[in-house]
Amino acid sequence: MTALLSASATVMAAGLGATPLITTLAASLTLFTNGFRQVFKPSERWEFAANGWVVLSRAINRYRLLPEDQRDQAARMDLQTRIEEVGENEIRGWVAQRRTARGAPVNEVES
């Protein structure tokens, strides 16, 4: 939304004959927001976070719905396993995203 608004502001500023400083600032904001979006891809991060939140919420709800006497070590381990899986998926996705942004192969192992 910021990129769209700043791009519109750039065109309007140039069309209305605003000072070069105002037009340059609006254009700079447009370039920055587009670059930020391309490098960091915040929409993908939101997707990872939303997916993780849903998976963890469901796992926690399943655990809480168990009767007290069934909340044993096995049930706690199942919940812990789901938590660790979500964490691994988040990290794996983040690493793949960063490697793609650098132009490195996604399955490259770093030392």
Side-chain angles (χ1 to χ4, degrees), residues 4-59:
L4 181 62
L5 291 174
S6 62
S8 299
T10 302
V11 173
M12 286 183 59
L16 294 173
T19 64
L21 177 64
I22 300 289
T23 306
T24 302
L25 288 174
S28 298
L29 181 61
T30 303
L31 288 173
F32 175 78
T33 55
N34 282 326
F36 181 86
R37 188 173 43 97
Q38 289 177 7
V39 171
F40 295 106
K41 299 180 182 176
S43 61
E44 289 182 20
R45 295 295 307 141
W46 280 104
E47 291 171 16
F48 285 133
N51 182 55
W53 184 84
V54 168
V55 169
L56 290 179
S57 292
R58 289 178 180 166

